[in-house]
Amino acid sequence: MINRSLIISKIIEHGMISRADLAKITGLNKATISVQAAELLAEELIIETKQEHKNLGRRPIMLSLNHQAGYSLGIDLDKSVITFTLSDLSGSPLDTHIIEIKAFDYNLMVKLLAEQITHYKQRCSQSPYGLIGVVIGIHGIVNNDETIYFVPRHQWHNKNLKADLQNETGINVYIENNANLCSFAEIVYKHYQSENLLSVSLYSGIGLGIMVNSKLLKGCDGYAGEIGHMIIVPDGLPCRCGNHGCWEQYASESSFMKQLSKIHNIEYVTYNEINQWFVEQDPVTCKLMKDFIKFLSYGLNNIINLYNPEILVINSELLRLYPNALEEIKAHLTSTVGQYHKLQISEFGKNACSMGACALAIKNFLEVKELCFSIEFKTKKSVPQ
């Protein structure tokens, strides 16, 4: 099983590779490679192709993952929308759709999710393995046994969404914290060579995904990374968690938009409107953004001092819109003690959670220790109907 896992990992990493090169890279003998490859071909998990080349002699036979052998479904369950992303086994997103939600009753949510999962299950039924798994990103606290401890926005306590959906759909379902999935997406799709990466998500709250030695750091119960409830303003604004002055009350996108809505007397502010105000250099919006970055930097400084990260990724649509966001953040990080190698804004934006979810479903299905999806394979492909 260890040999099989290693071989699959290397085939995915290289995209296309010969048996001879597999033996060199893995250190396994050619006989072991041949036996494992034969089994994987019989199981339709890999395919053979003859590589084009201009030299004389036989064309080498290359092994690659059978992208259409099965499909994974990643779900981002946020405060007011649910994002569904379907991917093939190469991790390439095939389509994404979003459902707006207004009622947060748990039983109704189970029914809605079960209906959607069943729909995708039927769509993928013609492939050899069908829908291979579903991973749901929760914007709340998830136990190590994948039960939900608490979701502040929905006021869910001690819910076993995994078991409830598996009973309804007959599909393997995995539950994970959304920030953990964002960091997993960064490692799998973008920063495969990094062993120590932090991903800070700034949407409905603030979450921290921690990758140490290429593994998620979750803490003894699974609650690590609830960094949004770090107090940065003593006796500050009240928070749903019961404390005052939590970081997410000052540096989450939801808190920024709430303030902006009040200032402009608009019920709901859109990213398009914010972008237009940035372009016009609206003084009120720009002043609020300066304060947002200042408070964001306070928390980032604490994280950097605590973890000394190799890569620190900030996931925020707001920062992607704001000119020179990184430069302004870095200007606030002036400590000679806190050190990091690279600070950047995520390229994935709001898709990070559902993409990380797809990748985790694939990892669990293939039973591999490590996963690396090369960027050239993230292209639109045929979607099962």
Side-chain angles (χ1 to χ4, degrees):
M1 197 64 191
I2 295 175
N3 291 344
R4 175 191 173 95
S5 171
L6 179 60
I7 289 169
I8 293 173
S9 290
K10 293 304 176 184
I11 290 174
I12 293 172
E13 181 181 346
H14 291 270
M16 187 177 291
I17 190 170
S18 68
R19 288 171 174 81
D21 286 339
L22 263 178
K24 292 176 184 176
I25 291 169
T26 62
L28 300 173
N29 61 51
K30 293 182 179 180
T32 299
I33 296 291
S34 294
V35 169
Q36 292 290 340
E39 289 181 2
L40 292 170
L41 285 165
E43 294 171 17
E44 299 185 67
L45 284 175
I46 64 172
I47 56 175
E48 288 182 323
T49 54
K50 288 188 177 181
Q51 190 177 43
E52 296 293 335
H53 71 113
K54 298 179 181 179
N55 299 327
L56 295 175
R58 294 170 57 187
R59 291 183 296 170
I61 297 175
M62 309 298 286
L63 302 176
S64 59
L65 187 69
N66 181 3
H67 298 170
Q68 280 73 52
Y71 300 88
S72 67
L73 181 62
I75 302 175
D76 181 2
L77 182 57
D78 205 344
K79 67 171 185 176
S80 58
V81 296
I82 309 175
T83 303
F84 299 83
T85 297
L86 185 73
S87 84
D88 62 20
L89 287 191
S90 74
S92 297
L94 302 175
D95 73 3
T96 296
H97 87 274
I98 295 172
I99 295 177
E100 293 187 4
I101 49 176
K102 295 182 180 179
F104 307 121
D105 177 77
Y106 176 76
N107 292 327
L108 289 177
M109 194 65 67
V110 170
K111 181 180 178 182
L112 187 155
L113 290 171
E115 288 174 351
Q116 290 296 317
I117 292 169
T118 300
H119 165 71
Y120 279 103
K121 179 181 179 181
Q122 292 169 349
R123 280 182 60 183
C124 302
S125 61
Q126 298 305 309
S127 61
Y129 292 93
L131 186 62
I132 55 97
V134 177
V135 174
I136 302 176
I138 301 296
H139 292 243
I141 302 173
V142 179
N143 295 315
N144 279 330
D145 64 2
E146 297 181 62
T147 57
I148 296 171
Y149 176 69
F150 182 47
V151 179
R153 299 283 174 175
H154 301 336
Q155 288 299 300
W156 291 352
H157 296 267
N158 301 315
K159 300 295 185 182
N160 197 340
L161 186 61
K162 176 186 176 78
D164 291 339
L165 287 175
Q166 287 185 162
N167 291 337
E168 289 286 331
T169 64
I171 293 289
N172 289 327
V173 175
Y174 305 91
I175 308 296
E176 185 55 88
N177 172 268
N178 73 297
N180 287 342
L181 292 175
C182 289
S183 66
F184 190 67
E186 296 292 342
I187 282 284
V188 170
Y189 289 97
K190 191 71 179 174
H191 302 287
Y192 182 66
Q193 300 302 321
S194 173
E195 293 189 346
N196 295 279
L197 177 145
L198 303 179
S199 175
V200 182
S201 300
L202 306 180
Y203 296 107
S204 55
I206 301 181
L208 176 65
I210 309 165
M211 299 291 297
V212 177
N213 297 326
S214 301
K215 294 181 180 179
L216 280 170
L217 179 65
K218 297 185 180 184
C220 65
D221 296 310
Y223 306 163
E226 290 299 322
I227 202 70
H229 300 287
M230 167 178 61
I231 296 173
I232 62 167
V233 179
D235 301 318
L237 296 172
C239 182
R240 288 174 180 263
C241 75
N243 284 326
H244 289 74
C246 291
W247 190 27
E248 67 178 40
Q249 297 301 317
Y250 299 86
S252 67
E253 291 198 356
S254 62
S255 68
F256 179 86
M257 289 182 164
K258 186 177 179 180
Q259 294 178 70
L260 207 53
S261 296
K262 288 181 179 179
I263 292 170
H264 288 278
N265 196 26
I266 300 174
E267 184 177 355
Y268 181 75
V269 175
T270 67
Y271 287 113
N272 286 336
E273 288 170 328
I274 293 172
N275 185 52
Q276 186 61 38
W277 290 329
F278 285 155
V279 171
E280 296 170 354
Q281 295 187 336
D282 173 65
V284 174
T285 306
C286 291
K287 170 62 169 62
L288 195 62
M289 193 63 187
K290 297 285 185 183
D291 291 339
F292 176 85
I293 285 180
K294 179 180 69 174
F295 282 112
L296 173 62
S297 301
Y298 291 162
L300 293 178
N301 181 75
N302 293 343
I303 292 171
I304 291 167
N305 286 334
L306 187 61
Y307 289 103
N308 177 216
E310 178 184 357
I311 299 175
L312 176 54
V313 181
I314 310 170
N315 195 307
S316 166
E317 290 290 335
L318 194 58
L319 294 179
R320 281 153 58 95
L321 296 175
Y322 186 65
N324 301 318
L326 267 184
E327 288 73 13
E328 290 193 22
I329 292 169
K330 289 177 180 178
H332 286 281
L333 302 176
T334 57
S335 171
T336 57
V337 176
Q339 299 295 320
Y340 59 90
H341 286 198
K342 184 186 293 185
L343 176 68
Q344 67 179 64
I345 298 170
S346 175
E347 296 178 11
F348 301 125
K350 288 197 170 184
N351 294 321
C353 177
S354 58
M355 287 180 66
C358 287
L360 184 58
I362 294 167
K363 180 178 183 292
N364 291 341
F365 170 69
L366 295 176
E367 298 180 309
V368 294
K369 289 185 177 180
E370 295 181 350
L371 202 58
C372 168
F373 291 138
S374 300
I375 196 73
E376 60 262 33
F377 297 108
K378 287 171 53 192
T379 55
K380 280 267 184 178
K381 300 182 181 179
S382 58
V383 182
Q385 300 298 325

